[in-house]
Amino acid sequence: MKNILVLCTGNSCRSQLAEGYLRHFAGDKAVVYSAGIETHGVNPKAIQVMAEDGIDISRHTSNNVDEYLAIPFDYVITVCDNASENCPYFPGSVKRFHHNFPDPAKATGTAEQVMDEFRKVREMIKTYSKEFINQHLNTI
């Protein structure tokens, strides 16, 4: 069983989407956590777009990375440049990965245009998460 942490700035959108998909694709092969350098609460639009794809993240919480410093993570995935630059040190043989996804919470325009941006980022994170699990967990 592997421990995976997804880290973002506010633990409200991108890291929440990634946590949902990583859990989905990993099944019982990993325990997946998400956290932020700060905590901004889970964005309702993130919950909505995940529900559209059959993944329920409505019970996720927004957590600060400091809450997880004692957990022996195997993988830490940063999903924005700010989190990568401010990621704390995790002892042990942690493998770090980074992918800077656009922040859908910064989308502007009509309500539908904003939701389209959330869906676009959701699909990017879904693809990344599936590939990550296939590459790192389905080979063990």
Side-chain angles (χ1 to χ4, degrees):
M1 180 80 67
K2 299 289 185 179
N3 287 322
I4 301 172
L5 174 65
V6 185
L7 189 61
C8 197
T9 299
N11 194 215
S12 67
C13 290
R14 294 167 286 186
S15 53
Q16 295 289 344
L17 299 174
E19 177 185 357
Y21 280 124
L22 289 166
R23 282 185 179 180
H24 174 74
F25 293 124
D28 62 358
K29 294 180 184 173
V31 178
V32 182
Y33 305 81
S34 70
I37 304 300
E38 307 159 4
T39 55
H40 297 164
V42 182
N43 188 303
K45 291 178 179 73
I47 294 169
Q48 181 181 339
V49 297
M50 290 299 280
E52 290 175 2
D53 199 31
I55 308 269
D56 181 7
I57 65 167
S58 64
R59 295 185 184 186
H60 283 199
T61 57
S62 184
N63 300 87
N64 188 285
V65 66
D66 292 342
E67 297 174 45
Y68 299 131
L69 293 177
I71 295 174
F73 287 107
D74 298 285
Y75 304 107
V76 173
I77 304 168
T78 51
V79 293
C80 69
D81 288 342
N82 182 51
S84 180
E85 293 162 8
N86 293 290
C87 184
Y89 171 76
F90 289 93
S93 59
V94 176
K95 294 180 182 170
R96 286 185 54 169
F97 297 87
H98 175 65
H99 190 101
N100 186 44
F101 292 100
D103 186 355
K106 292 185 177 174
T108 59
T110 66
E112 192 57 33
Q113 289 169 326
V114 170
M115 288 308 295
D116 285 345
E117 182 67 15
F118 268 84
R119 290 180 188 106
K120 183 179 100 179
V121 173
R122 176 195 67 197
E123 292 305 311
M124 294 167 71
I125 290 174
K126 180 178 183 178
T127 299
Y128 177 89
S129 299
K130 186 174 186 177
E131 290 172 359
F132 184 90
I133 296 301
N134 285 337
Q135 185 175 2
H136 299 284
L137 268 68
N138 287 341
T139 57
I140 47 176

